Amino acid sequence: MSNYSNMQDANSTEQRFDMSPTLNRSQQETQLEPLGHGTLRDHVDRALANYFAHLDGHPVDNVYELVLSEIEPPLLERVLKFTNRNQTKASAILGLNRGTLRKKLKMYGLLT
């Protein structure tokens, strides 16, 4: 099974969680919010389509950097949270060199 299929399965699972107001704060932080329908790729595609549809004639450049600056920080934060801020484990999960991970964390102000 590919990583892409695993992501789709994970998205399907996440959609079934119920956000109950009776959970304590610790439980609420580990509970996942529904993503709606579609894969991460679908969400990015819709966000970009919306972005381009609302340019209203304004010039646009550096879209690649814009997307990365929106996607990378929450990705890094979520993986760090999953690994209890263990950068060695996080870099392995992300497929990055630990030095590259630290550089990105510093760039986004996430290095603590």
Side-chain angles (χ1 to χ4, degrees), residues 1-11 39-40 92-95:
M1 182 178 277
S2 72
N3 287 341
Y4 184 71
S5 298
N6 291 341
M7 287 177 58
Q8 287 179 309
D9 293 342
N11 284 343
T39 64
L40 177 59
I93 289 171
L94 292 164

Side-chain angles (χ1 to χ4, degrees), residues 5 17 22 36 61 67 70-71 75 84 89 112:
S5 298
F17 284 100
T22 59
D61 60 359
V67 171
E70 292 294 319
I71 299 287
L75 170 63
N84 294 315
K89 289 180 181 179
T112 55

Side-chain angles (χ1 to χ4, degrees), residues 5-70:
S5 298
N6 291 341
M7 287 177 58
Q8 287 179 309
D9 293 342
N11 284 343
S12 299
T13 302
E14 288 174 359
Q15 293 175 12
R16 289 182 258 168
F17 284 100
D18 179 28
M19 294 298 289
S20 172
T22 59
L23 298 176
N24 68 38
R25 184 178 178 93
S26 171
Q27 291 171 319
Q28 287 175 354
E29 288 176 2
T30 59
Q31 198 71 315
L32 300 175
E33 295 182 31
L35 291 176
H37 297 290
T39 64
L40 177 59
R41 174 178 270 195
D42 294 334
H43 289 282
V44 171
D45 182 56
R46 282 193 300 269
L48 286 169
N50 187 49
Y51 174 79
F52 287 120
H54 289 91
L55 285 174
D56 199 29
H58 294 285
V60 62
D61 60 359
N62 294 325
V63 173
Y64 182 78
E65 289 300 320
L66 171 71
V67 171
L68 284 183
S69 70
E70 292 294 319

Side-chain angles (χ1 to χ4, degrees), residues 86-102:
N86 183 315
Q87 293 177 14
T88 302
K89 289 180 181 179
S91 64
I93 289 171
L94 292 164
L96 296 174
N97 175 287
R98 188 170 175 274
T100 302
L101 173 61
R102 289 185 58 79

